[in-house]
Amino acid sequence: MLRHSRPASWDWSKGSIAPAGLAASVAADDGRPVARTEASRPSVHARRLLIRTRIMGVPPSPKSRDQPGKAGRYCAGRGTGNRAAPGRGISAHERGGRVPRRAVFMRVLTLSAILILWWSCAAAQDSCVVHGHVLGCDGKPMRSAFVRPFGPGRSGHLAAATPDGEFQVAFPRPGGYFLVFGGVHHQTLFMPLLIERPGPLELTVRLSAASYRSSFDSVQVVGDFNDYKSEGALPMSRRTDGTLIASVPCDRDTLRYQLLGVQTGTLPICGTQADTFLVDRRNPMLGNQSNSFISVLKAERKPVQVVFDPARLPRGYDEPVITFADPLRVAARIVDISQDMSRRGRRISDALAAAKAAGRADSFHWDASPDLKSLATEIDGERATLTRAYLLLNYVHLAVYAPDSTKARRILAEIPPDSPVWSLEWGGPDKTFYDIGQMAKRPALWRDYGERVVAAHPDSSVRAAFLYDLLEEAQKSGDKERAGRYYTQLVGDYAGSQYADWSKKQYGPNRAVMVHKPCPDFALAGLEDSARVYRAADFKGKYVLIDFWATWCGPCVGELASLHRAHEKFKGRGLVILSVSFDEKRETVKRFRSGKWPMPWLHAFLPNGFASGVAAAFEIVGIPRPILIGPDGTIVAVDEDLRGEKLDGTLARALGGDAGRLGPRGALTAPSSPRMPRWSRPSQVRSRRPAGRSPS
């Protein structure tokens, strides 16, 4: 008689799951429990025999049936050590009858199904289902929409919304995640999602419409007919009814296209005329932009008349509206904080844009004290642990303008190493953790906390990010033992992460860009004249400082004062500087050089930036990346030795001269402090962040 009706039970003697058939072995034939003792515990042979006979239906061999102290002791269930009496514990067909193979197969199949069902039920106990509606700015379903989850256990697979806007996404367990919402002609939304307990979570999202230009006088069509490039884009002509039209050639059954000159900025947007829409997987999704869809028209291998009707563009809502069915959930509070930080960030971005328009970008300074004061009040009044932790991290995001060591140390003391809020840092928490270390000014405390996160956090991407920060710190401090240990763990345990890739390119023993190694060959088109190509052979016999940079990169601009002084001091000693821009357009660099920083040296332009072959050859994972090449074509110095105060000393040692003549950096030099990140890196998916925080 079985004592349990569950498909499986816990075998405490083995510390593992035992199938239901084995549960009967802990009770006597008359149902009385038998104590588990060393004397009564069945042998390995007996357990194997039980599985063969009672579960798989395979009759035991005569030798096995007649062995005293093995099958007899176990099948009788008495623990006496005597051979089983005939008919006790083994059925008649088990004593000699043959069981058809079909019966054996069915029993194995049944057992497998029971085990699968048990594991499914166990996993379902921790699972979380997020469901609801994603709607347009008018509160109605959009022509096409999607939801894309990111986080531990979710790799970012798209989930299409139904025609009425319904969606459902399952998560394996509670924790920190992101949901990305996209809709036709609406801005893509990146929403942090903190699930504090298993079960369903319902919400409704109303996206904000795309931001359009004031007039549509220069709308162009790009698509699969010209590989979506702005070169070769077809202009649209205006008709009397206010619509625009263009004849687009097509040699396929369908035409896929997008429009330039519709939304603000340079990104394309899908057209208003479409038989269907496809998600654009060619480019990364961008927060607060509408570049995620491609319009598709039936073409039948002949030119298509593409019509754009501005009146069909949705308009309304400057920011998305997110409503939770249960507003008391922690997830709702986290989203409120995130939206509040986005509003603060937009104010900073707008102020910076105004300063650039007025030609005061270099002297721009944001007074963050009112924002920091209000955030500090919220932190002190917040009782929920997770919410307070998220507020503290967002305080650090704004505190780059006014570093606060007290709050940084509070984070290291209050936030548990396994807290899910670390998973709510879009792009990874490495940048935030780096800033915390710079503000706290307690290296030992910072390292100890980082190592505890690596040991305890359930999110592998968070562990990899912290390990990467620890590796960088160990490298800069010269601790080779720790650096080697961190590097081995990072590239071994997190081989598929972006942090492992960065580490190999920056610190790998076999990397191509190292001191004393030959410089990779290159061919770079000139900035002013694209026909002028700079090659490695052109600089033989000279010292050349190659500086990979961009105007949008704050740390890059922060190095320009040092570069200008180095140019003035060493240009007569054979030093050549070649700045290689990662900007999207040449005109952007030209306008930048007409301001405070003329950069009177050689310039090249690198299309595709981080995705280019040159970036791969030079193992560039972030900018600025300065590299000093000697007259014989070998690498003399890289990275930190060519930045800030170290630049003058490195050049003086290489070219000869007094390294101390320039003295400390003056007012023109951007300070190396937590106010400015040390790197700007590419990101597969970017969201809007406060100005001054480079995406990591």
Side-chain angles (χ1 to χ4, degrees):
M1 177 179 178
L2 295 180
R3 301 188 62 201
H4 300 284
S5 60
R6 299 170 186 166
S9 62
W10 185 262
D11 185 350
W12 294 102
S13 66
K14 295 293 292 179
S16 60
I17 295 295
L22 294 183
S25 64
V26 299
D29 291 346
D30 58 2
R32 291 182 293 105
V34 177
R36 281 286 195 185
T37 64
E38 290 298 326
S40 64
R41 183 174 291 122
S43 65
V44 174
H45 176 84
R47 287 196 293 269
R48 290 175 179 171
L49 182 62
L50 179 72
I51 293 174
R52 286 172 55 85
T53 57
R54 292 197 173 180
I55 298 176
M56 299 184 65
V58 179
S61 64
K63 181 178 179 181
S64 298
R65 288 199 305 268
D66 296 337
Q67 282 185 327
K70 292 186 178 180
R73 180 177 63 183
Y74 188 66
C75 293
R78 300 291 186 179
T80 61
N82 298 324
R83 192 164 70 182
R88 292 281 294 177
I90 300 179
S91 63
H93 80 268
E94 288 172 337
R95 290 197 302 271
R98 295 185 60 84
V99 179
R101 290 186 177 181
R102 179 181 178 85
V104 174
F105 172 76
M106 291 304 297
R107 294 188 185 189
V108 173
L109 185 63
T110 301
L111 175 61
S112 301
I114 290 173
L115 291 176
I116 292 174
L117 178 62
W118 187 91
W119 284 113
S120 300
C121 293
Q125 292 178 356
D126 290 333
S127 65
C128 317
V129 176
V130 179
H131 65 99
H133 291 80
V134 53
L135 307 173
C137 60
D138 56 358
K140 299 178 181 179
M142 294 167 284
R143 299 173 69 183
S144 182
F146 67 82
V147 181
R148 190 174 185 181
F150 289 90
R154 296 308 308 252
S155 57
H157 293 297
L158 285 171
T162 63
D164 60 354
E166 288 190 22
F167 72 90
Q168 179 172 302
V169 180
F171 295 89
R173 65 188 67 86
Y177 302 90
F178 269 88
L179 280 180
V180 179
F181 296 90
V184 169
H185 298 136
H186 285 75
Q187 297 181 26
T188 304
L189 169 67
F190 295 81
M191 189 194 82
L193 177 65
L194 198 152
I195 305 176
E196 78 278 16
R197 63 175 184 267
L201 181 63
E202 183 180 356
L203 69 155
T204 300
V205 176
R206 292 178 65 175
L207 298 179
S208 54
S211 177
Y212 309 115
R213 298 189 179 187
S214 56
S215 63
F216 304 113
D217 299 327
S218 57
V219 179
Q220 297 175 305
V221 183
V222 296
D224 51 8
F225 64 92
N226 73 334
D227 200 22
Y228 297 91
K229 295 180 179 179
S230 57
E231 297 83 2
L234 300 178
M236 304 192 79
S237 56
R238 184 175 294 276
R239 300 195 295 187
T240 56
D241 60 356
T243 62
L244 292 88
I245 190 171
S247 179
V248 181
C250 184
D251 58 358
R252 306 178 185 181
D253 294 332
T254 59
L255 171 67
R256 301 181 180 185
Y257 77 96
Q258 291 176 314
L259 301 179
L260 297 174
V262 175
Q263 67 175 335
T264 55
T266 60
L267 294 174
I269 192 172
C270 57
T272 55
Q273 180 188 10
D275 294 315
T276 186
F277 296 90
L278 294 177
V279 176
D280 187 359
R281 300 177 183 271
R282 301 172 302 109
N283 299 309
M285 294 181 296
L286 302 178
N288 302 319
Q289 295 288 338
S290 178
N291 70 320
S292 299
F293 289 91
I294 296 174
S295 299
V296 182
L297 289 171
K298 296 179 181 178
E300 299 179 355
R301 300 179 180 273
K302 59 183 180 181
V304 179
Q305 300 297 313
V306 176
V307 178
F308 167 55
D309 186 359
R312 297 188 63 186
L313 294 174
R315 300 174 185 271
Y317 282 104
D318 292 333
E319 63 179 36
V321 178
I322 304 170
T323 306
F324 285 81
D326 182 1
L328 300 181
R329 290 286 294 265
V330 174
R333 179 70 176 121
I334 293 295
V335 169
D336 288 342
I337 296 172
S338 175
Q339 290 191 297
D340 176 61
M341 291 300 299
S342 294
R343 286 189 287 270
R344 298 175 192 267
R346 280 196 295 271
R347 289 200 298 269
I348 300 174
S349 299
D350 293 343
L352 178 59
K356 287 182 177 179
R360 296 182 287 101
D362 295 325
S363 60
F364 173 76
H365 175 73
W366 177 259
D367 182 11
S369 55
D371 292 317
L372 294 175
K373 184 177 180 180
S374 64
L375 270 180
T377 302
E378 284 190 68
I379 292 170
D380 294 337
E382 183 59 56
R383 295 184 178 182
T385 303
L386 290 173
T387 306
R388 185 170 62 251
Y390 190 63
L391 283 168
L392 281 168
L393 293 185
N394 280 278
Y395 186 96
V396 171
H397 297 167
L398 281 178
V400 293
Y401 301 98
D404 187 338
S405 60
T406 303
K407 289 293 190 298
R409 295 170 189 172
R410 184 175 177 179
I411 288 175
L412 300 178
E414 286 190 12
I415 300 182
D418 60 349
S419 175
V421 298
W422 288 115
S423 297
L424 300 180
E425 292 290 294
W426 181 254
D430 55 305
K431 174 64 177 62
T432 302
F433 187 53
Y434 170 84
D435 287 341
I436 291 171
Q438 296 295 300
M439 295 179 191
K441 299 179 181 179
R442 295 285 180 85
L445 180 65
W446 180 83
R447 284 195 300 267
D448 176 70
Y449 184 87
E451 290 183 345
R452 287 190 289 131
V453 171
V454 172
H457 205 281
D459 188 345
S460 62
S461 63
V462 171
R463 298 196 301 271
F466 274 70
L467 201 55
Y468 177 78
D469 276 346
L470 293 171
L471 170 59
E472 277 198 324
E473 184 272 336
Q475 285 281 354
K476 293 176 182 178
S477 63
D479 191 333
K480 295 183 179 180
E481 187 277 329
R482 279 196 305 114
R485 175 160 49 89
Y486 294 147
Y487 178 83
T488 301
Q489 184 177 359
L490 184 56
V491 301
D493 297 346
Y494 308 95
S497 69
Q498 62 179 351
Y499 300 104
D501 181 57
W502 292 347
S503 299
K504 290 177 183 178
K505 293 179 179 179
Q506 289 180 267
Y507 309 116
N510 299 319
R511 61 188 185 274
V513 180
M514 294 178 64
V515 176
H516 303 311
K517 282 195 173 184
C519 173
D521 195 17
F522 61 85
L524 297 166
L527 175 68
E528 302 289 346
D529 181 8
S530 59
R532 173 70 169 95
V533 178
Y534 297 102
R535 304 181 186 276
D538 298 340
F539 302 100
K540 286 293 181 67
K542 301 178 181 179
Y543 282 93
V544 56
L545 175 60
I546 304 178
D547 177 40
F548 295 95
W549 78 297
T551 60
W552 49 260
C553 167
C556 301
V557 177
E559 298 291 332
L560 289 180
S562 298
L563 284 173
H564 275 79
R565 292 189 302 172
H567 173 71
E568 290 298 321
K569 180 177 181 179
F570 295 102
K571 64 181 180 180
R573 305 184 193 178
L575 176 67
V576 177
I577 299 178
L578 174 63
S579 287
V580 184
S581 171
F582 276 41
D583 286 278
E584 292 184 3
K585 293 184 177 181
R586 298 172 185 269
E587 291 72 20
T588 304
V589 185
K590 295 176 183 178
R591 285 196 303 269
F592 180 86
R593 292 178 61 198
S594 64
K596 179 179 180 179
W597 305 110
M599 304 174 69
W601 50 76
L602 300 180
H603 287 267
F605 183 76
L606 187 61
N608 300 321
F610 289 100
S612 64
V614 173
F618 281 89
E619 300 173 332
I620 298 175
V621 299
I623 54 176
R625 180 152 216 211
I627 302 172
L628 180 63
I629 313 299
D632 59 352
T634 60
I635 298 174
V636 177
V638 296
D639 297 330
E640 293 298 319
D641 287 335
L642 297 170
R643 296 186 63 179
E645 295 176 352
K646 293 184 178 181
L647 174 61
D648 178 63
T650 301
L651 293 177
R653 287 190 295 272
L655 284 78
D658 182 7
R661 290 180 61 186
L662 289 180
R665 286 183 290 178
L668 292 180
T669 304
S672 176
S673 72
R675 298 171 186 265
M676 186 66 70
R678 297 291 290 168
W679 300 90
S680 289
R681 293 193 178 97
S683 178
Q684 291 183 338
V685 190
R686 288 184 181 176
S687 61
R688 177 173 293 188
R689 292 182 179 271
R693 294 195 70 234
S694 301
S696 54

